[in-house]
Structures are given as C-alpha cells and as structure tokens.
C-alpha cells in the first residue's frame, strides 16, 4: 500500500545532492547523523552521495543533476588554509595532479552557482567562522567543482553547485550544524518541481 501511495504521490521537493568526496573524511559521519534522522531542509530533500573515483564521481553527479528532480549539489571537503569554514567560489581548469589543463577547450575557470554570500552569512549567524574565497586548493574538491560546473547546460535556471570546505579540526556538532545550515540556505533558492515534470 505504501508503495502504491509513493508511486501516485511523488515527492515534489527538489533534491540537493550532498557529496562528501573523501572516503575517510569525518564529515561522512556528520552527514549520516543528519540524514539518518530524517532531517531535510525546508522545501527540499538532502540526498547523500557516496565517494568514488573522482572521474566517475564527477560523471555520476553531473548525470544526477540532469534529472528533473535534482536542482543542487553541495560538495563537502576539507580546507588546509583556514581555521574556519570556506565557500570556494570558483575552480580552475586543472587536472587532479595540478599544473596541466584538464580541458583544452574549457574555460580557464568556472564560478560556483550556489548562493555563496547567503551560505556564509547563515553559517556566521549560526556561530560558525566562515568566509568565501576565490582561492582553490589542488585537490578532488576543486576538480569536481570544475567538472560539474562546466557540464551544466547554458540556462538561466542552472542548478546551484557549491563547495563547502571544512577546517581540519572541528567538533562533530559544529559540522552537523554547518551541513544543515548550508543545505537550508541552498534550499531557499529552489522552486517546487512542477507536477508535469514528475508525471
């Protein structure tokens, strides 16, 4: 009976993919704590996405973003350049090892489409040190951010894509608060899915 109800009444809330891309990152535990309780940002769904080979993960996230119910991606990784949370605003055209270009035809850099200023403000209001930066870090996070952004279609309503960098030393409760706060800020910019797109 429940399956029938789920089929006839699809969840019309847009999905935000939350990807902790490093397999040994403690943020995975915090994300599991947040999502296992059934918490979701108002008006949206937070869906955790597993780790994997960076190239395969970029393709998986881009493919999922192409589906009608998915409207945002929040990448979550570490920063080694700050004692606070950082929202990375852009990513450069570089291979994972750094130096060489990832794409010979792609733009030199790609800008995040997530509401960066609003996320930083909300994190600060929640009592967490946070800032936005144009400075990337040579890691999987920057690679994924560039790959996903440059795969987006040229449209005015492009999905929100952002990269939240977490300080290397942070307590679990602050990390859970940051994940809830960042996804909630992104959710406020998403519209409910039209019925025709889910039928």
């Amino acid at each position: 009976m429940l399956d029938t109800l789920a089929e006839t009444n699809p969840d019309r809330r847009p999905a935000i993919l939350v990807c902790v891309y490093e397999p040994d990152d403690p943020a995975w535990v915090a994300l599991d704590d947040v999502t296992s309780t059934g918490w979701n940002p108002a008006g949206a769904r937070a869906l955790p996405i597993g780790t994997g080979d960076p190239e395969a993960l970029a393709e998986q996230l881009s493919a999922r973003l192409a589906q009608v119910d998915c409207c945002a991606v929040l990448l979550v990784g570490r920063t080694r350049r700050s004692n606070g949370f950082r929202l990375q605003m852009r990513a450069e055209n570089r291979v994972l090892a750094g130096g060489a270009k990832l794409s010979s035809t792609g733009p030199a850099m790609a800008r995040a489409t997530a509401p960066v200023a609003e996320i930083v403000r909300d994190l600060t209001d929640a009592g967490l040190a946070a800032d936005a930066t144009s400075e990337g870090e040579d890691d999987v996070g920057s690679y994924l951010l560039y790959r996903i952004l440059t795969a987006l279609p040229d449209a005015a309503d492009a999905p929100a894509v952002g990269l939240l960098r977490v300080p290397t030393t942070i307590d679990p409760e602050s990390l859970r608060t940051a994940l809830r706060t960042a996804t909630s800020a992104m959710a406020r910019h998403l519209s409910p899915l039209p019925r025709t797109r889910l039928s």
Side-chain angles (χ1 to χ4, degrees), residues 54-73:
E55 183 173 351
L57 187 55
E59 292 176 0
Q60 178 189 3
L61 290 167
S62 293
R64 188 70 177 85
L65 263 182
Q67 298 178 6
V68 295
D69 66 324
C70 184
C71 300
V73 171

Side-chain angles (χ1 to χ4, degrees), residues 17-86:
L17 306 180
V18 185
C19 176
V20 180
Y21 49 80
E22 297 286 1
D24 57 348
D25 194 324
W28 256 120
V29 177
L31 179 59
D32 186 56
D33 288 348
V34 169
T35 56
S36 64
T37 62
W39 179 89
N40 281 292
R45 296 174 291 142
L47 303 179
I49 296 293
T51 61
D53 172 77
E55 183 173 351
L57 187 55
E59 292 176 0
Q60 178 189 3
L61 290 167
S62 293
R64 188 70 177 85
L65 263 182
Q67 298 178 6
V68 295
D69 66 324
C70 184
C71 300
V73 171
L74 178 65
L75 300 169
V76 182
R78 292 286 156 166
T79 178
R80 291 158 186 83
R81 299 180 181 177
S82 174
N83 292 323
F85 291 90
R86 306 192 91 186

